[in-house]
Amino acid sequence: MLHPNMIAAIGHTPLVRLAVPGAAAYAKLELQNPFAMKDRVARQVILAARESGELAPGAPVVESSSGTMALGVALVGTALGHPVHIVTDPRIDPITLAKLRALGCQVHIVERMTAQGWQSARLERLAELRDTLPGSFWPRQYSNPDNPRAYRSLAAELIADLGHVDVLVGAVGSGGSLCGTARALRESLPDLWTVGVDCVGSVIFGQPDLPGRLQSGLGNSLVPQNVDHAAVDEVHWLNDREAFESTLALAAEQQIFGGNTSGSVYRVLRHLAAAEPPGTRIVAIMPDRGDRYASTVYDETHWLEKELHDLPAAAAPVEVDASETVRSWSYCFPGSRRKESRWAAALPS
């Protein structure tokens, strides 16, 4: 497939039928973007800012990210001639750091957490940095409506490939991918059931903050404005061991070398496929590939250092009340709909 440049190559990602028992399960391999899923967001946000005049030609772009958004901004920003500054924290992996520097970005690493964890520390440093860079543009991935808007293209690709989707599963970090795709799909598929995957220790769906969590790319110490809670029908939480185990299983069982967000989504997808009625079509968004997790998720030494084997690992999720603190794989229905009512509507009379 010919593209005139790297920005045009964003999107058009494969949709793969997975070999899992039960319902028809598909993986939307957003990890096959030039860098990762947030390439779509960076393209949408930066092009929109240039069109509106908010981002002038040659002006700096500054973003806070520890992973895929940084790479997307680096790709699009540098390709369009903008100096790119990335504010991150010590959790950034060496592969991502090497990519950012190779693309010509200036990387600013905060030294310590502040009141609300690494996220608030990065945002405070970003504000200081912008004061020294007149005319700089901040993509604001957590609050910019162009983040979820970027996933209209993903929804269109799913409709073109499948025609109909019953269940959409995705990790929740900034809120853009799952909520944006779900809202776009519901314009033609109003009965779509949306399942969010979060991590133990993330505050997005009402859990207490645990800044020491090891998962990257999902979860948050703040509730991003782009999380549309009304768009999510079901939420699953996984702890670090469960997420990492599932990432290893994704590679071994499906030959998909993903990051821990892709692995977390895979664990929930397998569970849903086994439970859903025959004929159901389930799509899981798989955001990141595994190269930057080689020394963590895929390294037994890291498992031993972090005592991951000592964490509980549930074979199946336990339903909890939304206000209950969770420690291992659990789920709840945060809205007014419940899965049983959807199943009843789907069954023949």
Side-chain angles (χ1 to χ4, degrees):
M1 185 178 293
L2 178 63
H3 300 290
N5 52 52
M6 284 294 287
I7 295 176
I10 294 169
H12 326 289
T13 53
L15 181 68
V16 177
R17 176 76 180 264
L18 299 183
V20 300
Y26 301 85
K28 182 63 169 168
L29 298 183
E30 287 296 282
L31 51 83
Q32 291 288 7
N33 276 293
F35 284 95
M37 181 175 69
K38 294 291 181 68
D39 295 354
R40 289 189 195 257
V41 178
R43 177 180 62 184
Q44 174 73 27
V45 169
I46 291 175
L47 291 180
R50 284 167 60 94
E51 183 177 353
S52 70
E54 186 179 0
L55 174 59
V61 179
V62 182
E63 181 59 298
S64 163
S65 172
S66 60
T68 55
M69 185 61 181
L71 293 169
V73 170
L75 164 63
V76 178
T78 58
L80 294 173
H82 298 280
V84 174
H85 295 257
I86 298 298
V87 180
T88 188
D89 59 62
R91 298 173 302 172
I92 189 170
D93 65 280
I95 292 176
T96 298
L97 185 59
K99 289 177 180 178
L100 292 172
R101 288 174 170 162
L103 288 169
C105 299
Q106 292 192 45
V107 182
H108 309 263
I109 303 176
V110 300
E111 296 181 353
R112 60 184 63 85
M113 289 185 283
T114 55
Q116 291 179 290
W118 290 116
Q119 177 75 347
S120 62
R122 297 202 314 250
L123 293 177
E124 290 169 17
R125 179 69 182 99
L126 184 146
E128 295 170 356
L129 186 62
R130 291 196 70 202
D131 288 340
T132 70
L133 296 169
S136 62
F137 169 68
W138 176 23
R140 297 179 295 111
Q141 65 162 316
Y142 295 102
S143 59
N144 192 327
D146 275 313
N147 178 348
R149 195 173 292 135
Y151 294 100
R152 296 190 69 85
S153 61
L154 193 160
E157 290 168 21
L158 292 179
I159 293 294
D161 286 339
L162 289 178
H164 185 83
V165 178
D166 297 295
V167 181
L168 179 70
V169 189
V172 182
S174 70
S177 60
L178 182 66
C179 299
T181 306
R183 286 204 299 258
L185 286 175
R186 281 179 176 163
E187 292 176 5
S188 57
L189 303 171
D191 294 327
L192 177 77
W193 186 262
T194 305
V195 181
V197 181
D198 200 1
C199 59
V200 169
S202 163
V203 306
I204 294 175
F205 294 100
Q207 292 291 306
D209 184 29
L210 296 176
R213 59 184 183 276
L214 301 177
Q215 296 176 61
S216 176
L218 79 171
N220 218 304
S221 297
L222 304 170
V223 180
Q225 293 180 36
N226 277 326
V227 174
D228 180 1
H229 289 86
V232 181
D233 300 302
E234 182 176 344
V235 178
H236 287 246
W237 295 274
L238 302 178
N239 66 28
D240 293 332
R241 175 184 174 180
E242 292 161 338
F244 287 16
E245 281 182 345
S246 303
T247 308
L248 299 175
L250 177 63
E253 297 168 5
Q254 306 296 338
Q255 296 73 55
I256 297 173
F257 188 67
N260 62 246
T261 50
S262 297
S264 295
V265 169
Y266 178 59
R267 191 181 192 104
V268 175
L269 173 70
R270 282 188 59 99
H271 167 74
L272 294 173
E276 291 286 338
T280 303
R281 287 181 176 176
I282 311 173
V283 172
I285 302 172
M286 297 202 168
D288 59 346
R289 49 184 172 264
D291 54 355
R292 66 192 188 101
Y293 300 93
S295 61
T296 55
V297 175
Y298 293 95
D299 188 347
E300 177 63 17
T301 301
H302 181 76
W303 279 67
L304 295 173
E305 288 176 352
K306 300 299 184 180
E307 301 179 336
L308 286 168
H309 294 289
D310 296 336
L311 292 176
V318 175
E319 183 177 355
V320 297
D321 184 86
S323 62
E324 183 178 340
T325 299
V326 300
R327 299 297 179 189
S328 61
W329 188 10
S330 308
Y331 73 102
C332 77
F333 301 109
S336 59
R337 296 204 297 172
R338 289 184 64 87
K339 183 180 294 183
E340 291 81 356
S341 63
R342 187 176 63 81
W343 283 358
L347 294 173
S349 56

